[in-house]
Amino acid sequence: MPFSPNFDEELQTVDTFWRFGGSRGIFTADKAPVNSPSLLEASTNDEADLRASPKGTNRALAMFESKCLRCMNGLQLLDDALKNKRFLPTGCGGIDILLGGGLREGQLTEIAGPSSSGKTQICLYIASHVAFRLCGSIVFLDSSNSFSPTRIASIVNQICRPADKEVHDRRIKMIMSCIHCQSVFDIFSLRDALHELESTLNKQTIYNGGKICMLIIDSISSLITPILGGKDSQGRSLMVSLGYLMKQLADEWNISVLVTNHMVSGGGGTSKPAMGESWKCIPHVKLQLSRCPGSTICNISVLKHTSMPCGRSAEFVIPN
């Protein structure tokens, strides 16, 4: 690989290196190959230099990511999957049956669907059910003011019905305290929220309600699609780097990541999930949701899965 002739001078300070990593969505210095600066082929003196060499920065990003991956043999991976990557039941029977038990820890799952298909309702129901069944903490990143605490309370009230009113009220408060919502309105606030979560996990900080077991982002496409226009690859690079960060958090800390995506027009009058080919390889599991207007019956089908063929589908009743 050819290198920039001025490369050594360009990486003389940690500050310069840090700014380069930050521009590519890489903020954890101990995960970057700081002892091998010659891997980077890019001018990193300032933002103008970064924009001027997209090929170099894209290659640098790929090499950063390859160096950040943990190397495990097949037996270790199997042991990790069996011991640490449990299924989180969603409470939606059709989804749990289709996926063999629910959403998998260590994986990023995407639910794509058209407007009003029930994506947000499913996210709220899954958050409530996981908090109720596992007493774990859920981080809910809300991009469009769709999070409804009254709706959460109603769902929790339905699934948690002990006879004693005092016990009932106490359990509802406990479950609702496990769900932590934060508003994110652009890609940069999403990036900040993810790094805040990473810092929380690195410090082994426990939220009220116990260990963090799930991250939900509703809707990730509304945050990312505004930066994808034009020929500039910087938006796509940022999208991919954040996607890998979410996968890294899922794998390292055994949490399940769930994101929602909208649909766009495809060829021949069909529709497809938004965010393009660069995003297509990011989720471990891609599901497509559909619902007839006015109906409570949803259909969900597998577009991509790590251990099952595409095309499988199931029906379920959307929670009221």
Side-chain angles (χ1 to χ4, degrees):
M1 179 187 295
F3 297 107
S4 168
N6 298 320
F7 187 74
D8 292 336
E9 292 80 7
E10 291 166 353
L11 286 178
Q12 288 179 351
T13 67
V14 175
D15 179 64
T16 299
F17 184 85
W18 183 260
R19 284 189 286 114
F20 175 83
S23 72
R24 312 310 301 149
I26 300 169
F27 291 83
T28 309
D30 64 329
K31 294 188 174 98
V34 292
N35 294 320
S36 304
S38 59
L39 288 173
L40 304 179
E41 182 203 359
S43 172
T44 58
N45 278 333
D46 53 39
E47 293 297 317
D49 288 332
L50 285 169
R51 288 192 294 269
S53 56
K55 289 185 178 179
T57 53
N58 285 340
R59 277 199 293 270
L61 173 62
M63 303 196 91
F64 263 134
E65 291 161 350
S66 68
K67 292 295 176 182
C68 290
L69 295 176
R70 294 179 299 163
C71 183
M72 301 173 71
N73 63 38
L75 185 60
Q76 291 171 320
L77 289 168
L78 178 61
D79 186 59
D80 181 55
L82 294 176
K83 291 182 178 179
N84 302 318
K85 305 297 193 288
R86 60 182 173 172
F87 285 104
L88 303 183
T90 66
C92 300
I95 296 178
D96 292 339
I97 292 172
L98 180 66
L99 299 180
L103 303 181
R104 195 72 180 258
E105 290 180 326
Q107 291 188 342
L108 191 161
T109 301
E110 173 192 295
I111 296 180
S115 177
S116 301
S117 58
K119 300 186 295 296
T120 295
Q121 292 299 312
I122 289 173
C123 286
L124 295 175
Y125 191 84
I126 290 175
S128 304
H129 192 82
V130 170
F132 170 65
R133 295 295 179 191
L134 302 178
C135 295
S137 290
I138 290 88
V139 177
F140 196 113
L141 301 183
D142 178 17
S143 69
S144 54
N145 293 322
S146 59
F147 184 87
S148 170
T150 55
R151 177 69 182 125
I152 289 281
S154 175
I155 294 171
V156 171
N157 190 57
Q158 292 176 31
I159 62 178
C160 173
R161 293 182 175 178
D164 185 88
K165 185 180 186 304
E166 184 178 342
V167 174
H168 175 71
D169 292 343
R170 187 165 60 246
R171 293 189 70 182
I172 287 181
K173 289 179 181 178
M174 180 189 71
I175 293 167
M176 292 195 66
S177 69
C178 293
I179 303 172
H180 307 266
C181 180
Q182 179 177 341
S183 295
V184 288
F185 297 119
D186 56 43
I187 191 76
F188 304 105
S189 57
L190 171 61
R191 181 184 61 186
D192 292 343
L194 291 175
H195 285 294
E196 182 181 341
L197 174 59
E198 182 180 35
S199 176
T200 298
L201 293 167
N202 279 323
K203 293 175 183 176
Q204 299 294 322
T205 303
I206 304 298
Y207 277 169
N208 244 356
K211 175 184 176 292
I212 299 170
C213 61
M214 174 170 279
L215 167 66
I216 297 175
I217 306 175
D218 182 40
S219 127
I220 195 168
S221 53
S222 65
L223 302 173
I224 290 178
T225 49
I227 68 170
L228 297 181
K231 297 180 180 179
D232 190 352
S233 65
Q234 297 299 311
R236 290 189 294 277
S237 296
L238 180 56
M239 173 186 72
V240 171
S241 67
L242 290 182
Y244 281 121
L245 174 58
M246 287 184 277
K247 292 173 76 171
Q248 176 189 319
L249 293 175
D251 179 62
E252 289 190 6
W253 300 101
N254 300 320
I255 64 176
S256 177
V257 179
L258 173 64
V259 303
T260 62
N261 191 3
H262 68 272
M263 306 292 288
V264 295
S265 298
T270 60
S271 59
K272 60 181 181 180
M275 299 196 295
E277 293 297 315
S278 298
W279 173 261
K280 190 175 180 180
C281 65
I282 298 296
H284 296 92
V285 177
K286 292 173 69 73
L287 306 173
Q288 183 169 329
L289 183 69
S290 61
R291 180 174 62 147
C292 293
S295 174
T296 60
I297 299 177
C298 292
N299 180 274
I300 194 158
S301 56
V302 176
L303 300 182
K304 175 186 174 184
H305 200 282
T306 55
S307 60
M308 69 174 61
C310 299
R312 294 183 60 181
S313 63
E315 288 188 345
F316 64 96
V317 177
I318 193 168
N320 293 321

